[in-house]
Amino acid sequence: MRIRAQMAMVMNLDKCIGCHTCSVTCKQTWTNREGTEYVWFNNVETKPGIGYPKHYEDQERWKGGWKLDARGRLTLRSGGRGKRLSRLFANPDLPSIDDYYEPATFDKDILVNAPGGLTDTPVKQPYSTLTGKPMAITWGANWEDSLGGSSGQDDPNLARMTAKVKFEFEKTFMFHLPRICEHCLNPACVSACLSGAMYKREEDGIVLVDQDRCRGWRMCVSACPYKKVYVNHATGKAEKCTFCFPRLEAGLPTICSETCVGRLRYLGLLWYDEDAVLAAASVEDDADLLDAQRSVFLDPNDPAVRQAARDAGMPEDWIEAAAASPVWKLIAEYKIALPLHPEYRTLPMVWYVPPLSPVLDAAGAAGRDDSDADDIFHTIRDLRIPVEYLAELFTAGDTSAVAGVLMKLAAMRSYMRARTLDGTVAQELLDGVGMSAGQVEAMYRLLAVAKYADRYVIPAAHKRQAAELEALGAEHDTCPVSDGPHALEITPLPGRS
């Protein structure tokens, strides 16, 4: 067993109101400059919908992520090293600007300096920030937000559903899905990078791009199934979400988490067994990938795991932070958080608590008892947001896994309502989801009313380690962190995994 540390995020989709504050603050912090006008490290998509860039989930088209070959071995969908070398200057699997959108600006002086007495109201003309020419705005990063799911007919997730979803007015459904880089345990972008510029930090698992080594070959863009690697058209270099690592090193949350209006994001540290990653990503059945990835994570409260972390040189405050991690609780203890498209086999590390429609109202409207476990379960199958759709997003089509999560969330609501109204304990609900009263109440506090310190458990980096890194970099005339994969060739530092 080789124990590693990984910073991870969980988002509770029940709380997302689609305000895009996270997107705007991320934009202002990281991509508010020339060459990144179309780049959104964080964007909020409306589901159902085709996403950003368009149809990014269609891997038959984009060849992103991993697949198993005829011999059961894990291989990149974009092909081997030889195939990527042959496509250095003509890669057919790259999204074009039309798949993103042509960024625009406006000549506001037309409004400010318009003379009085005009018979027609002056209108500001959009201009392309790429060409400077007048243009018509026909698409954008959050274009589907105002369409309320009406563009869902082209959603790749719906195409894979066995039951046809009718987009009639009374059956229309929608919810918001914030997306950032997944900082995967098995990142396809890192493996596809021919220059070695993409790398996964050993100390916390964050995936970054060494700008000095990047040659702009864009294989990382093709290989990323979430299309969260972008190319700065001014520098020709690849850029992506950094998980706000300078803030994390200071013990602060990412900017998207800090400014989230709905308080739906959770940040924390996870331990995982690096030796188990390949086997977990290589399981034959896509439906087994969820359990396989969960099995990679190590229990931070297990004395043997804590000792292994100490033996690996992990600081004591990191060990305690892992034990208090809300991410661990939501993913592995309560098992209500799910990964986005596990079938891509990258083992993503941004997980989601799926949205739960108003199940208690639905149960009452159907003449069912919202305190009865069986009635709630049957109601979940008839909710406005189809379980099949959520399964396509989060469990590779396994509806039972999604239904189990929704059942826990619904049971939590019913239990807490009964306890608050008349002090009763709905034991049947607890038995139905296999949780104790203490677990349900703790889960409720974390999901509903968690304080800042409970949502963000982030151990700061150690100055001692930073000094050692600087000294080691001077000794080798390079920085072991920014040197990407070559950092593995250097003897690990105390306190580093």
Side-chain angles (χ1 to χ4, degrees), residues 344-358:
Y344 297 162
R345 299 178 180 271
T346 60
L347 306 188
M349 290 310 302
V350 177
W351 288 44
Y352 296 86
V353 178
L356 181 64
S357 303

Side-chain angles (χ1 to χ4, degrees), residues 166-227:
K166 294 183 179 179
F167 281 86
E168 302 169 8
F169 177 76
E170 69 275 9
K171 295 182 180 179
T172 298
F173 68 95
M174 60 169 284
F175 61 92
H176 301 291
L177 180 72
R179 289 204 307 118
I180 64 172
C181 168
E182 297 285 338
H183 297 277
C184 308
L185 297 183
N186 184 38
C189 58
V190 173
S191 295
C193 179
L194 294 168
S195 64
M198 302 280 294
Y199 65 99
K200 187 173 178 66
R201 297 210 312 184
E202 284 197 61
E203 60 266 41
D204 53 19
I206 296 174
V207 177
L208 297 173
V209 184
D210 183 343
Q211 295 292 296
D212 291 333
R213 301 191 65 169
C214 179
R215 297 294 176 263
W217 289 330
R218 310 185 185 200
M219 296 300 151
C220 52
V221 179
S222 299
C224 174
Y226 304 97
K227 290 296 173 281

Side-chain angles (χ1 to χ4, degrees), residues 38 62 172 257 280 316 329 383 387 420 474:
Y38 78 103
W62 299 117
T172 298
S257 301
E316 196 64 32
K329 295 174 183 176
L383 291 177
V387 173
T420 303

